[in-house]
Amino acid sequence: MKYSILFGKTLREAGGSKFISHQLLTRGGFIAESSAGRYFFLPLGWRVHEKIKKIIKEEMDRIGAQEMISPVLHPIELWKETNRTTSVGFELMTIKDGRGAEFALGGTAEEMFVDVVRKFRLSYKELPFNIYQFSTKFRDEMRARGGLLRVREFVMKDAYSFDRNETEFKKIYATMAQTYSKIFKRLGLDTYKVEADNGYIGGEYCHEFQVESEIGEGHFFMTEDGSYVAHEDVAKFSRDDKNLSEALLPYKEVAAVRGTTMEDGVKLHNLPLWRQIKDFMAVDEKGRMILAVIRGDLDVNEIKLARLAKAYQLRHATVEEIRKLGSEPGFISPVGMKGKLLVVGDVSLRTIINAYGGANALHRDALNMNIDRDYSPDIEGDIAMAQDGFIAENGRPLIEKHGIEVGNIFQLGYHYTSLMKDATFIDEDGKAKPFYMGCYGIGIGRTLAAIVEKYHDDKGILWPSQVAPFQAHLISLPGGEIHADEVYNYLINNGIEVLWDDREVTAGVKFADADLIGIPVRLVVSKKTAGLVEIKRRSESENKRLSLEGLLKEIS
């Protein structure tokens, strides 16, 4: 490709984005914004995009997965079958055609794949199988940000496995986990397989593949030896016993003219934060009131809370809603609340006795509150947020990490096939049984951005050779045009992908653009090279001069 005719050129500025991948991909002429959260992939960017897809496809095909494609428009009736018109984790986008038929713009494709599979009335002899696609997804994100890292429209590789039962599914799941690690390794990305939340679907098997990055929105914890790695939404840790050797004291209420924060309670009573009870009142998507109760030195993890309470979505209760239940913001207590709402207690409540906190009235506190005697949660479990330095259940300290989620694998089980009519196979006993499913996704654009976040310097991108848009960036300077044409054609005829900067601009501009674009090998031909070609790797400072034959061997 001659740079003079390439659509999309380098820019000196890339707007105000703080994300280096967004800056460099925009400035380098790889992407251009259409509207917020939607991007054009320009020719350079699309070449990288397709090379990432090629690697994914090779590894998916290697394990016997089969590529196909489903329509982008999903009949809304399918989403109604699984109750996802109101329950997905993103705003569903819909559209009507000229006949008035309503469709969902697919954010994921579980219903579509179940629908096509159930049409074939399969038997157990045809299981298991894993089918996948590369298709455009739509998600009406409230916060499109970070260039390709959080978008409203993107290409995803999504795969769906169909099996007889959980035992057989586990084999596919393990294979997919290994395959994903291999894919990302081939792409130049070191990933952590992070235990994650499976959302409202539930299930035991769910992992994200995270690339460690300070700018990443993924937040996870791990032990130094890597024996435990878990997303903040599910990370477990041990609670230490505090004062269980003390004798239980009588419950009492006292005047408490103070502010509404936990710190105000500590100052007023001159007692440690861990001895205070923290209360968080929430409302789920059905209007159900939920009170979360936890030890004062811990924070409520709303994802854990929602899962334990079997809620899909939570919001903070309003002042009016709190008062309607006979309590007061900043002075909420679990005492006397049973039967009025769902009380969910963290396991840490059993590590303290004689706790203090609000008494459900303005400027009134309770002392010596004890679980079982003074209040009893409807549900007990882990609803606490892990923190850096907390001790994992294996006895090792947790280390806090940030990352970019580039892929995920998770157990669907019978969730979709139990909701969708006739999503069954005929087992060897002659009975119809629902498929047991798994789902596996990789975001192509986000993976591309993660590569740039990892591979760049102050001059531009340093593409790994396996995903670079071209193998070599040829620069012709005055006096070397004829030789450059010879080099260009020689390399192309020998299967080398070359971008030739044949523009009539200064050498400084050409070198700066080559550094910005980041192709692994830079070739320079000029009057000074005297029939040879100067070659320099993008990641190195040294250069050397080679003949055409030597050049071909070096690049290959």
Side-chain angles (χ1 to χ4, degrees), residues 86-207:
T86 57
S87 64
V88 294
F90 48 86
E91 292 297 321
L92 184 64
M93 299 175 69
T94 60
I95 189 172
K96 288 185 179 180
D97 68 8
R99 299 174 294 106
E102 188 174 6
F103 297 87
L105 288 170
T108 59
E110 287 84 354
E111 288 87 354
M112 292 294 282
F113 274 71
V114 173
D115 187 47
V116 71
V117 168
R118 68 179 172 179
K119 295 179 188 297
F120 285 86
R121 311 303 298 159
L122 302 175
S123 81
Y124 73 96
K125 295 179 180 179
E126 297 165 281
L127 302 178
F129 58 87
N130 188 350
I131 46 181
Y132 74 97
Q133 66 176 348
F134 293 96
S135 68
T136 301
K137 300 292 188 290
F138 303 87
R139 297 189 181 178
D140 199 8
E141 290 279 2
M142 297 303 292
R143 296 185 308 117
R145 60 192 288 272
L148 301 181
L149 293 173
R150 182 173 286 276
V151 291
R152 296 190 170 108
E153 186 174 327
F154 58 98
V155 173
M156 176 187 281
K157 188 286 298 177
D158 49 329
Y160 302 90
S161 62
F162 292 78
D163 219 316
R164 296 174 67 181
N165 51 46
E166 182 176 358
T167 301
E168 295 301 314
F169 158 77
K170 286 181 179 179
K171 299 174 185 177
I172 293 182
Y173 192 86
T175 298
M176 286 300 296
Q178 294 169 358
T179 298
Y180 268 38
S181 293
K182 189 173 181 180
I183 286 170
F184 293 121
K185 198 74 174 177
R186 285 188 62 188
L187 293 172
L189 295 174
D190 294 320
T191 54
Y192 291 103
K193 190 179 78 168
V194 180
E195 181 184 337
D197 178 55
N198 218 4
Y200 75 98
I201 294 171
E204 299 175 6
Y205 312 101
C206 179
H207 291 85

Side-chain angles (χ1 to χ4, degrees), residues 476-489 500 525:
S476 54
L477 299 180
E481 293 85 358
I482 296 175
H483 189 209
D485 186 70
E486 180 187 359
V487 172
Y488 179 67
N489 287 302
W500 176 15
V525 177

Side-chain angles (χ1 to χ4, degrees), residues 55 109 136 150 190 232 241 247 278 324 350 405 443 445 466:
I55 288 173
T136 301
R150 182 173 286 276
D190 294 320
E232 66 173 353
D241 293 337
K278 181 180 291 184
K324 190 175 180 179
R350 297 198 175 274
E405 179 193 348
Q466 62 271 29

Side-chain angles (χ1 to χ4, degrees), residues 93 149 316 328 364 376 449 460 466 480 492 519:
M93 299 175 69
L149 293 173
H316 292 217
E328 181 69 24
R364 192 157 186 82
S376 56
Q466 62 271 29
I492 287 177
I519 293 168

Side-chain angles (χ1 to χ4, degrees), residues 71-99:
V72 172
L73 298 183
H74 302 181
I76 199 67
E77 291 77 16
L78 295 181
W79 284 62
K80 288 179 179 178
E81 245 188 293
T82 58
N83 303 315
R84 282 220 297 171
T85 50
T86 57
S87 64
V88 294
F90 48 86
E91 292 297 321
L92 184 64
M93 299 175 69
T94 60
I95 189 172
K96 288 185 179 180
D97 68 8
R99 299 174 294 106

